[in-house]
Amino acid sequence: MAYLFLPLLGPLILIAAAYLATRNLGKYPGNIPAITEAAAFAAFAVSALAAALVVVNGSGTSALVGVFGVGLSVRLDAVSAIMLVLVSFIGWVVLRYSKTYMDGEDRQSAFTGWMSATLAAVLLLVMSGNLAQLFLAWTLTSLSLNRLLLFYPERATARRAARKKALVARMSEGSLAAAIVLLIASTGTTDIKTILNTAEPTWLTMGAALLIAISAVLASAQFPLHGWLTEVMEAPTPVSALLHAGVINAGGFLLIRFADVMLLAPGVMALLVMLGGFTALFGGLVMLTQPAVKTSLAWSTIAQMGFMVMQCGLALFPLALLHIVAHSLYKAHAFLSAGEAVRNVAAIRRPGPIAVPSARNVLQAFVTSIVIYGIVGTLVGFDGKSVQAIALGVILIFGVAYLLAQGFADSAPRELMQRTVIYALVTSVSYFALQVIAQHLTAGTLPATPSPGPLEWALIVLALISFGCVAVAQSTFPLWASHPAAAGLRVHLTNGLYANAIFDKLLDGWSKRSAA
């Protein structure tokens, strides 16, 4: 099946463009940005064609170009096809944006070259058919990203962010390397498809699952080693867009790719639920206190990655993949349009009145949103759905309840109430529809969600209570915002509960000891 090698053309084209850009071999350096943009578009076209061939011919793994299980091979299935199209599309958009954004910079060619190299590394990662290629691409992604973070090396904050990212990346790579050793020892092969089909619940496999989880959460900026993601704003905006919309998803992809292995370690899955859920709540609350747009978006990414990790822990791998796609598209647009959004808000000299809901309005909103979700689910969605998926829908509907509370406020106009009710209805229908689509696309590639045991039930209840309490607190915030405790809580949240400051202190101490 020669078509399985087709996706390799994308990274090869990007690597050629990156080499041309970084070595400045073009006859006219001003053409380099256009060349890298064209290379990114070609990679996107190749990825789209490969995805179409998966639909027509089915999934498969190419032959290994190498020896002793080390070399290049392509695993082309629903997961890799979706990720290839997503990453290449965002990469093309970001490089197209960069052509204008970086116009006039002295090292514009080098910048677009390293952007192309990073994009090529991510594409090689998501199409990996063997463990050696996976680890190499994982490492190259971090190394090329580090060059982008240091595009302005004279800035102290940029050097600090790159240093912290490099440390976390080396820890993630070490954990992934150890997991690979255990997987090879357990299955006797480096072929990912064979590993997923033959893995058994042995101590080696469960140890590998734990190490994969550690590597993934480190790459996904999970608490408490999340601080580097909030400090990379010194890099140009296209770097932030590519990082938050593409590179940061590598951790989630790792969990999804090895879903069959992860299911063999229920304890590890439980840890993912707890850590991901806490990070989602923590990041979401801190995000609301940030005055800078890009910093707020960074904390939003931390929260979204936490929610995605929690989805993986609940064995909702198709929904986690859907989350990656939705978040990537949204976050790329958010970063690339942040400047325009700030100008639009600044142009509003007299914003409209804010309707403050009462406690009764909040209760009414939550009851209404859950009733709408229940009715829609009963009619079109609950049949055949796992308990985990239904519970996740309840958590998502809590966000809709916040919108309903604004519409149900006594001072809110009737049009606002009607609009929020429609939003709640559309959200509920969309959740079930998108879930069906995600499960259909990944059927036969990702494992089905198992029935929850006592531990899973406890985690589901804990997640519902935690997210529900936070949603109620957010909806009623105007009612208790004047309390003295609220001001103190805001200060602590603005500083991220000082977790990043503690990491900085430990890192400086480690650096001084190393220098000595």
Side-chain angles (χ1 to χ4, degrees), residues 131 183 189 193 328 389 498:
L131 296 178
L183 287 174
T189 181
K193 179 182 178 181
S328 296
Y498 312 101

Side-chain angles (χ1 to χ4, degrees), residues 273-317:
V273 174
M274 290 185 285
L275 179 60
F278 176 80
T279 303
L281 293 172
F282 166 71
L285 290 173
V286 175
M287 176 196 69
L288 298 175
T289 66
Q290 301 302 305
V293 173
K294 291 178 69 175
T295 305
S296 178
L297 289 174
W299 280 103
S300 167
T301 298
I302 292 173
Q304 293 291 337
M305 290 300 101
F307 199 76
M308 181 269 300
V309 168
M310 185 182 75
Q311 288 174 312
C312 291
L314 291 171
L316 298 172
F317 295 105

Side-chain angles (χ1 to χ4, degrees), residues 53-367:
L53 291 174
V54 170
V55 176
V56 175
N57 299 321
S59 61
T61 302
S62 70
L64 177 71
V65 181
V67 294
F68 304 116
V70 178
L72 290 177
S73 61
V74 177
R75 173 64 180 160
L76 200 53
D77 57 12
V79 173
S80 59
I82 291 172
M83 292 298 297
L84 282 170
V85 174
L86 174 68
V87 172
S88 59
F89 174 71
I90 290 176
W92 169 50
V93 171
V94 172
L95 276 167
R96 181 179 175 86
Y97 178 88
S98 301
K99 186 173 65 173
T100 303
Y101 183 89
M102 300 299 293
D103 188 32
E105 288 279 353
D106 292 336
R107 296 185 296 121
Q108 182 182 10
S109 295
F111 176 82
T112 55
W114 283 110
M115 289 282 285
S116 300
T118 304
L119 181 59
V122 178
L123 291 177
L124 282 173
L125 172 67
V126 299
M127 72 174 70
S128 296
N130 65 86
L131 296 178
Q133 178 182 338
L134 179 79
F135 179 75
L136 177 63
W138 185 273
T139 305
L140 289 177
T141 299
S142 298
L143 295 177
S144 56
L145 178 64
N146 188 261
R147 296 298 297 264
L148 291 171
L149 297 180
L150 289 172
F151 184 73
Y152 297 121
E154 68 278 3
R155 299 180 180 179
T157 50
R159 294 196 302 271
R160 182 178 64 181
R163 180 168 160 237
K164 291 169 69 173
K165 173 64 175 75
L167 176 61
V168 174
R170 299 297 85 77
M171 294 167 60
S172 176
E173 291 157 10
S175 180
L176 180 58
I180 288 174
V181 171
L182 293 183
L183 287 174
I184 294 175
S186 175
T187 61
T189 181
T190 63
D191 183 71
I192 293 177
K193 179 182 178 181
T194 304
I195 291 172
L196 298 179
N197 291 336
T198 62
E200 297 179 353
T202 64
W203 284 107
L204 288 175
T205 306
M206 289 188 286
L210 176 61
L211 291 168
I212 289 172
I214 293 173
S215 181
V217 299
L218 288 172
S220 300
Q222 297 298 280
F223 183 89
L225 302 181
H226 59 276
W228 63 268
L229 188 61
T230 65
E231 297 180 358
V232 297
M233 301 308 154
E234 291 296 334
T237 295
V239 178
S240 298
L242 184 63
L243 169 62
H244 289 260
V247 178
I248 195 69
N249 295 319
F253 167 77
L254 188 67
L255 294 173
I256 294 170
R257 172 51 79 205
F258 290 97
D260 296 272
V261 175
M262 302 305 300
L263 288 177
L264 300 177
V268 176
M269 298 286 281
L271 291 175
L272 289 176
V273 174
M274 290 185 285
L275 179 60
F278 176 80
T279 303
L281 293 172
F282 166 71
L285 290 173
V286 175
M287 176 196 69
L288 298 175
T289 66
Q290 301 302 305
V293 173
K294 291 178 69 175
T295 305
S296 178
L297 289 174
W299 280 103
S300 167
T301 298
I302 292 173
Q304 293 291 337
M305 290 300 101
F307 199 76
M308 181 269 300
V309 168
M310 185 182 75
Q311 288 174 312
C312 291
L314 291 171
L316 298 172
F317 295 105
L319 290 181
L321 182 61
L322 174 64
H323 190 165
I324 286 177
V325 174
H327 174 258
S328 296
L329 296 174
Y330 147 70
K331 196 54 63 72
H333 175 268
F335 269 102
L336 297 182
S337 63
E340 182 182 358
V342 171
R343 289 191 294 270
N344 291 339
V345 172
I348 303 176
R349 297 185 178 181
R350 297 183 60 186
I354 299 175
V356 178
S358 64
R360 177 181 59 81
N361 298 142
V362 172
L363 177 61
Q364 182 183 7
F366 273 79
V367 172

